[in-house]
């Protein structure tokens, strides 16, 4: 545009100059009219011109200046007249006009040279200077036209800035021209070269598809083609290849550039190498999969909620525990979960109310710092009678997630209760004989009694002390067996008969001369047992037979045989004809401290059968009890046979898995 | 006046202990081996003091017998001393809730027992 104006201005100037010369020549012929019209014309032009125009004498001073010079240089034409050129165009302080014309001019004309002009206050401003020489009234003049280029310079700077921005962007930027065949790339910034590995000259002029390498059939390429065809923006992820052949994931964003009439002239493409990001996303995906698997395999229930307290995840353990369906909970607010839980529970209490803390696994440091909150106990009524421990944890991360953790502690609570109950009972059982011992001894010490009474009291003390001793021994036995869980059992494969014989021979019951009638087969039966523990169990069983049957009733012992679960078993059966048990007593037989007879007539701790059961089960066996109230009791201790027993006697056959065979002496 | 004492305790030896202890005082002694017969005997005899064991077999345990006594207008003036081998705070609290007037933990000193009984009948007599 400026060239046009400049051309126009020069045309005008040329015309004005020509007009001046023509006026001067015609002066003699038609002075007044010619001069008048020429001067008026020139005056009009110089007044109206937007650029500064001034004439400079050979001595470097301004001879004449137009109106626009005032606004350009900040001085009136009158002030300009006679002022030095160097005050307007400082470049001439080191350069004469003549030299300047020679070096920059063509045939006496300089067009649009960029330099700085000076305003009246001394501030420089960018300008474009054009000049030519002429002669007026015998003197040489240089005619100058100065255009203030501050605005266009500013526009130039802006453009430069934008170009620098493109050059320094970290994403690859390309511009392709849509107006040339093949839509060649006309610009590619350094980042593009870095991402693709290609040099500038290998990119300019080519269509971007060279990045596809061999992969020309990707789905997203179709989208790119459609977008270009439709002249719209798009975003795709392509698998591209660098110059060295290595693949990378290219996130490509295309935007069209339109002319005023809507026609797309260029496409700007922004390329981002997202290979690393994809790798991270893969890793994240894998991590999530893994967590989900762990989550789902966990036996404890988990429910997670997002920052709006909406349920996001429910694992299968939670569904099993509560009978609630995860699919119905996801997306629901927490209040819905609370309602569902309330509907199936019979109560809730904070954890500290129950001393369960000891049975829980060691707390992590964060949990400790969160005290006093430890959790709640939720007592379920459905789908079964269960107690769940719930803990709620709020994540401190940006996600503001909440995770609820549920653990079924029904069994732990039960064990806890049983332990507590056992201790109470044990305390009671121990204190009862102590009450007699302590009480009677105190009376004996502090009061006088006659001899018969003294003897009676001493007898009581002695008897109760004996009970206490038994009790302490059995408690210790039981505690030890339970604590060690049979770890200190010395199991050996050995014949059963000698153990039985030794035990039977060693039985000594106070005031009871009966002997156990034992019938054992001649063939050895091998079992894998700890003989001292087996002896203890058998002693307890025999002891009961003595205690609960009359002295005129025999006690029998025999071996039995059966098949259970695909293996051969041998049973040591102790048969008495004593008082027997009711169904209720039979059910509670193995309960700690349970006594069938609580009259005090029959001594006992109530722990004997408990110990028998513990020992037999730790030896991989089973206790079977058969009893009829008033008739008698048979207790059979079953053990797996270590080797094949002798062949069954003739006349006996197996009828089914649970058939019981009697081995009898022939 | 000879005060009547009722001993309700299932363990024979302990009954004997208490009996022999209280024989040193001037008391009329009655005994029962379980809760039900103890309650019946209480109604029949109207003792001044009742020594009541907590853990007894049968339908009623000591707490229940105590509650019956204290809720019956004809029996509630009977002073109840509970005897137990369980001394946990929960058990004492249960005793208080049942309305027991005193609580002794086994093994107890028999002489302390007789002192308590003496004190009880004395204070009851003076009211």
């Amino acid at each position: 545009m400026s060239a046009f104006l400049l051309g126009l201005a020069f045309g005008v100037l040329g015309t004005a100059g020509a007009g001046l010369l023509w006026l001067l020549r015609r002066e003699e012929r038609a002075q007044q009219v010619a001069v008048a019209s020429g001067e008026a014309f020139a005056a009009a032009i110089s007044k109206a011109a937007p650029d500064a125009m001034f004439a400079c004498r050979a001595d470097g001073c301004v001879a004449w200046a137009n109106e626009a010079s005032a606004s350009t240089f900040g001085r009136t034409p009158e002030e300009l007249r006679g002022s030095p050129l160097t005050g307007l165009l400082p470049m001439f302080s080191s350069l004469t006009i003549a030299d300047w014309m020679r070096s920059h001019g063509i045939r006496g004309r300089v067009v649009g040279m960029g330099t700085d002009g000076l305003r009246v206050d001394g501030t420089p401003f960018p300008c474009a200077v054009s000049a030519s020489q002429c002669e007026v009234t015998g003197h040489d003049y240089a005619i100058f036209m100065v255009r203030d280029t501050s605005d266009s310079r500013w526009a130039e700077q802006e453009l430069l800035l934008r170009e620098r921005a493109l050059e320094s962007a970290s994403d690859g930027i390309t511009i392709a021209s849509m107006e040339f065949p093949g839509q060649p790339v006309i610009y590619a910034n350094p980042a593009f070269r870095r991402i693709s590995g290609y040099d500038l000259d290998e990119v300019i002029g080519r269509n971007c598809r060279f990045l596809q390498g061999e992969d020309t059939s990707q789905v997203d390429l179709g989208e790119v083609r459609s977008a270009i065809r439709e002249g719209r923006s798009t975003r795709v992820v392509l698998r591209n290849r660098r110059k060295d052949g290595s693949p990378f994931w290219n996130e490509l964003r295309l935007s069209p550039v339109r002319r005023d009439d809507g026609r797309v002239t260029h496409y700007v493409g922004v390329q981002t190498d997202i290979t690393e990001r994809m790798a991270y996303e893969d890793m994240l995906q894998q991590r999530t999969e893994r967590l989900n698997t762990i989550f789902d395999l966990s036996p404890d229930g988990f429910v997670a909620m997002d920052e709006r307290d909406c349920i996001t995840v429910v694992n299968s353990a939670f569904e099993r525990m509560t009978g609630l369906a995860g699919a119905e909970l996801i997306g629901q607010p927490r209040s819905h979960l609370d309602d569902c839980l309330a509907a199936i529970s019979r109560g809730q209490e904070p954890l500290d109310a129950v001393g369960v803390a000891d049975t829980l696994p060691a707390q992590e440091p964060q949990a400790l710092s969160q005290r006093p909150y430890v959790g709640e106990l939720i007592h379920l009524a459905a789908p079964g009678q269960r107690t769940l421990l719930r803990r709620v944890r709020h994540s401190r991360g940006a996600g503001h997630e909440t995770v609820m953790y549920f653990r079924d502690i029904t069994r732990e609570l039960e064990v806890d209760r049983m332990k507590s109950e056992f201790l109470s009972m044990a305390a009671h059982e121990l204190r009862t004989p102590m009450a007699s011992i302590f009480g009677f001894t105190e009376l004996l010490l502090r009061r006088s009694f006659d001899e018969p009474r003294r003897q009676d009291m001493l007898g009581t003390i002695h008897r109760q002390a004996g009970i206490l001793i038994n009790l302490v021994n059995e408690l210790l036995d039981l505690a030890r067996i339970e604590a060690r869980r049979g770890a200190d059992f010395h199991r050996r494969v050995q014949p059963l008969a000698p153990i039985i014989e030794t035990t039977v021979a060693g039985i000594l019951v106070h005031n009871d001369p009966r002997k156990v009638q034992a019938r054992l087969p001649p063939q050895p039966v091998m079992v894998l047992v700890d003989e001292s523990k087996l002896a203890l169990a058998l002693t307890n069983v025999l002891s009961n037979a003595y205690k609960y049957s009359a002295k005129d009733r025999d006690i029998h012992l025999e071996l039995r045989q059966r098949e259970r679960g695909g293996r051969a078993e041998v049973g040591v059966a102790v048969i008495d004809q004593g008082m027997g048990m009711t169904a209720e007593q039979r059910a509670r037989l193995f309960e700690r401290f349970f006594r069938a007879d609580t009259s005090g007539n029959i001594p006992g701790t109530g722990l004997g059968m408990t110990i028998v059961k513990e020992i037999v089960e730790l030896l991989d066996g089973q206790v079977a009890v058969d009893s009829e109230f008033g008739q008698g009791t048979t207790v059979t201790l079953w053990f797996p046979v270590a080797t094949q027993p002798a062949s069954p006697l003739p006349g006996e056959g197996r009828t089914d898995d649970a058939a019981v065979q009697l081995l009898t002496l022939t | 006046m000879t005060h009547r004492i009722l001993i309700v305790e299932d363990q024979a030896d302990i009954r004997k202990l208490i009996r022999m202890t209280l024989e040193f005082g001037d008391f009329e002694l009655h005994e029962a081996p379980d809760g039900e017969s103890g309650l019946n005997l209480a109604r029949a005899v109207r003792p001044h003091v009742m020594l009541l064991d907590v853990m007894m077999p049968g339908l009623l345990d000591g707490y229940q017998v105590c509650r019956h006594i204290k809720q019956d207008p004809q029996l509630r003036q009977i002073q109840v001393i509970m005897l137990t081998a369980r001394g946990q705070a929960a058990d004492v609290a249960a005793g208080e809730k049942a309305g027991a007037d005193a609580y002794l933990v086994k093994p107890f000193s028999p002489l302390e027992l007789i002192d308590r009984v003496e004190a009880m009948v004395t204070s009851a007599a003076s009211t």
Side-chain angles (χ1 to χ4, degrees):
Chain A
M1 281 290 273
S2 60
F4 175 68
L5 272 173
L6 214 52
L8 178 66
F10 258 93
V12 167
L13 185 65
T15 311
L20 270 166
L21 290 170
W22 181 79
L23 285 172
L24 288 168
R25 280 203 199 100
R26 277 197 58 186
E27 211 178 335
E28 293 93 25
R29 281 171 275 169
Q31 259 183 359
Q32 273 181 330
V33 172
V35 164
S37 61
E39 275 185 2
F41 193 52
I45 291 170
S46 71
K47 219 186 185 105
D51 293 331
M53 288 190 242
F54 54 90
C56 193
R57 295 198 297 263
D59 66 357
C61 287
V62 175
W64 165 90
N66 75 341
E67 302 281 347
S69 310
S71 53
T72 303
F73 292 102
R75 282 169 266 230
T76 61
E78 291 72 33
E79 288 167 346
L80 284 169
R81 211 165 286 141
S83 69
L85 180 60
T86 52
L88 304 176
L89 297 170
M91 73 173 172
F92 288 109
S93 53
S94 53
L95 191 63
T96 64
I97 297 174
D99 287 336
W100 178 63
M101 279 284 183
R102 254 197 305 280
S103 58
H104 288 85
I106 300 174
R107 290 216 272 263
R109 267 196 203 138
V110 176
V111 178
M113 177 187 157
T115 182
D116 280 341
L118 276 183
R119 304 215 201 268
V120 64
D121 61 1
T123 48
F125 64 93
C127 57
V129 177
S130 307
S132 68
Q133 288 164 314
C134 69
E135 193 194 306
V136 178
T137 60
H139 296 280
D140 289 330
Y141 289 92
I143 311 291
F144 284 90
M145 247 185 61
V146 175
R147 154 154 309 162
D148 185 340
T149 57
S150 303
D151 285 344
S152 54
R153 180 70 69 87
W154 177 84
E156 253 174 55
Q157 304 274 34
E158 282 293 298
L159 205 61
L160 205 61
L161 177 65
R162 287 196 171 94
E163 192 172 322
R164 281 209 204 96
L166 282 180
E167 292 287 299
S168 47
S170 57
D171 287 337
I173 299 176
T174 53
I175 303 177
S177 166
M178 293 289 122
E179 298 181 301
F180 287 102
Q183 292 94 42
V185 171
I186 60 171
Y187 172 78
N189 73 343
F192 176 84
R193 277 127 53 194
R194 180 175 43 79
I195 287 173
S196 65
Y198 287 95
D199 297 323
L200 193 59
D201 56 348
E202 294 169 307
V203 172
I204 300 289
R206 299 172 69 183
N207 183 292
C208 251
R209 71 170 73 90
F210 68 86
L211 284 175
Q212 259 72 270
E214 300 299 312
D215 301 322
T216 52
S217 61
Q218 297 175 53
V219 171
D220 281 3
L221 279 181
E223 162 62 14
V224 170
R225 289 186 206 112
S226 310
I228 292 175
R229 199 172 46 241
E230 295 161 25
R232 57 176 170 83
S233 306
T234 184
R235 179 196 160 276
V236 295
V237 175
L238 297 174
R239 193 173 162 76
N240 286 153
R241 289 195 182 270
R242 297 198 187 91
K243 180 176 174 184
D244 63 8
S246 57
F248 68 98
W249 287 102
N250 183 0
E251 182 186 49
L252 175 65
R253 278 160 284 174
L254 290 172
S255 301
V257 176
R258 290 174 204 282
R259 287 202 313 212
D260 285 342
D261 61 1
R263 188 181 134 116
V264 176
T265 54
H266 298 85
Y267 253 96
V268 177
V270 180
Q271 292 90 8
T272 317
D273 183 345
I274 58 167
T275 311
E276 212 173 281
R277 194 177 90 198
M278 298 283 269
Y280 276 128
E281 277 177 15
D282 257 346
M283 233 167 65
L284 193 64
Q285 176 73 7
Q286 271 185 35
R287 182 63 107 47
T288 309
E289 294 280 328
R290 198 181 309 141
L291 277 177
N292 282 345
T293 309
I294 293 172
F295 206 60
D296 226 54
L297 284 177
S298 164
D300 296 329
F302 283 99
V303 174
M305 285 158 284
D306 63 17
E307 67 274 1
R308 295 169 297 141
D309 257 5
C310 284
I311 297 168
T312 50
V313 197
V314 174
N315 79 338
S316 43
F318 177 82
E319 292 178 318
R320 276 197 304 273
M321 273 180 204
T322 59
L324 300 172
E328 283 167 27
L329 290 172
I330 290 179
Q332 298 288 337
R334 176 176 167 167
S335 53
H336 181 71
L337 174 66
D338 290 337
D339 290 340
C340 288
L341 280 176
I344 57 169
S345 66
R346 48 192 157 87
Q348 201 171 325
E349 58 181 310
L351 182 55
D352 291 314
V354 184
V356 191
D358 301 335
T359 65
L360 297 175
Q363 312 263 7
E364 323 87 64
Q366 298 102 294
L368 281 177
S369 70
Q370 281 178 6
R371 279 187 179 176
Y373 173 77
V374 185
E376 294 98 33
L377 293 180
I378 301 174
H379 302 287
L380 294 183
Q385 294 270 331
R386 284 195 196 127
T387 300
L388 302 181
L389 166 68
R390 175 176 71 179
R391 286 216 203 101
V392 183
R393 180 82 70 86
H394 300 283
S395 86
R396 285 176 223 113
H400 297 293
E401 273 206 325
T402 304
V403 177
M404 273 191 196
Y405 159 82
F406 294 85
R407 197 156 115 216
D408 189 340
I409 58 165
T410 315
R411 176 134 179 78
E412 283 166 44
L413 275 185
E414 183 59 25
V415 166
D416 205 55
R417 190 194 64 78
M418 277 171 60
K419 275 191 203 164
S420 180
E421 188 64 30
F422 172 63
L423 280 176
S424 289
M425 285 231 61
H428 178 270
E429 292 297 308
L430 287 169
R431 289 194 178 116
T432 302
M434 281 305 295
S436 290
I437 296 168
F438 186 70
F440 283 115
T441 45
E442 188 175 285
L443 282 180
L444 282 168
L445 286 169
R446 305 281 285 274
R447 295 280 189 270
S448 337
F449 295 91
D450 55 34
E451 192 55 29
R453 296 191 105 193
R454 282 186 66 235
Q455 284 300 319
D456 177 57
M457 290 162 81
L458 285 169
T460 304
I461 292 168
H462 190 250
R463 182 162 36 84
Q464 290 290 337
I467 291 175
L468 198 51
I469 291 167
N470 284 341
L471 196 54
V472 169
N473 284 340
E474 294 209 323
L475 269 173
L476 288 175
D477 273 343
L478 189 58
R480 197 180 309 121
I481 289 170
E482 285 194 336
R484 304 272 183 84
R485 305 288 328 152
D488 60 346
F489 278 21
H490 301 296
R491 295 178 184 80
R492 275 190 317 121
V493 175
Q494 53 192 304
L496 192 49
I499 303 173
I500 296 175
E501 282 159 4
T502 315
T503 308
V504 167
I507 283 272
L508 201 64
V509 181
H510 186 58
N511 281 349
D512 198 327
R514 285 181 288 171
K515 289 244 188 290
V516 177
Q517 307 294 317
R519 290 188 310 171
L520 299 175
Q523 314 96 306
V525 180
M526 306 298 274
V527 287
L528 175 62
V529 292
D530 174 324
E531 65 267 22
S532 62
K533 298 293 188 294
L534 176 53
L536 174 58
L538 189 52
T539 302
N540 284 6
V541 175
L542 288 171
S543 167
N544 274 1
Y546 274 92
K547 282 192 271 187
Y548 291 92
S549 64
K551 293 207 180 67
D552 60 347
R553 294 275 187 263
D554 282 341
I555 298 167
H556 295 270
L557 186 152
E558 59 192 32
L559 288 192
R560 297 181 176 178
Q561 196 181 12
R562 76 180 182 190
E563 276 239 358
R564 182 64 72 92
R567 65 180 188 186
E569 292 187 350
V570 60
V572 182
V574 175
I575 304 149
D576 73 51
Q577 298 158 72
M579 58 171 67
M581 292 181 276
T582 62
E584 201 201 321
Q585 288 170 324
R586 159 73 191 86
R588 298 183 63 190
L589 177 61
F590 298 108
E591 231 178 77
R592 287 183 186 82
F593 302 118
F594 175 73
R595 309 290 325 284
D597 177 295
T598 53
S599 65
N601 297 330
I602 300 179
T605 57
L607 291 175
M609 286 310 282
T610 314
I611 293 175
V612 169
K613 185 163 191 275
E614 286 278 337
I615 290 175
V616 171
E617 286 181 353
L618 283 169
L619 289 173
D620 202 22
Q622 191 196 13
V623 184
V625 176
D626 208 358
S627 182
E628 213 182 304
F629 186 63
Q631 301 290 328
T633 303
T634 300
V635 176
T636 313
L637 309 179
W638 289 102
F639 298 99
V641 175
T643 56
Q644 284 294 92
S647 50
L649 294 163
E652 285 160 322
R654 254 185 321 122
T655 51
D656 61 15
D657 270 358
V660 171
Q661 291 177 337
L662 271 174
L663 297 172
T664 55
L665 285 173
T666 50
Chain B
M1 130 155 110
T2 312
H3 294 101
R4 294 181 295 282
I5 316 290
L6 173 58
I7 307 166
V8 184
E9 162 67 64
D10 64 312
Q11 300 272 337
D13 282 337
I14 302 202
R15 268 203 313 275
K16 183 163 80 173
L17 173 66
I18 298 175
R19 180 175 61 247
M20 291 180 73
T21 307
L22 292 179
E23 276 169 1
F24 284 99
D26 183 23
F27 299 114
E28 184 186 303
L29 301 176
H30 301 268
E31 295 176 25
D34 61 66
E36 264 187 280
S37 51
L39 196 54
N40 291 335
L41 205 48
R43 289 204 177 95
V45 165
R46 304 287 176 89
H48 297 89
V49 178
M50 201 159 147
L51 292 161
L52 189 50
D53 183 31
V54 170
M55 301 249 316
M56 290 183 290
L59 290 170
L60 299 175
D61 69 16
Y63 296 124
Q64 290 166 307
V65 173
C66 185
R67 259 195 295 273
H68 274 103
I69 299 278
K70 291 300 177 181
Q71 280 162 9
D72 188 332
Q74 301 202 320
L75 300 175
R76 74 160 65 105
Q77 72 279 8
I78 299 176
Q79 307 260 55
V80 177
I81 303 178
M82 301 208 74
L83 304 168
T84 184
R86 289 171 80 131
Q88 290 182 305
D91 305 297
V92 179
E96 282 173 12
K97 221 170 120 187
D101 298 288
Y103 203 87
L104 274 181
V105 180
K106 298 177 192 171
F108 51 82
S109 153
L111 296 179
E112 190 188 322
L113 176 71
I114 192 171
D115 284 344
R116 284 273 194 122
V117 173
E118 296 267 3
M120 265 185 179
V121 296
T122 315
S123 67
S126 63
T127 52

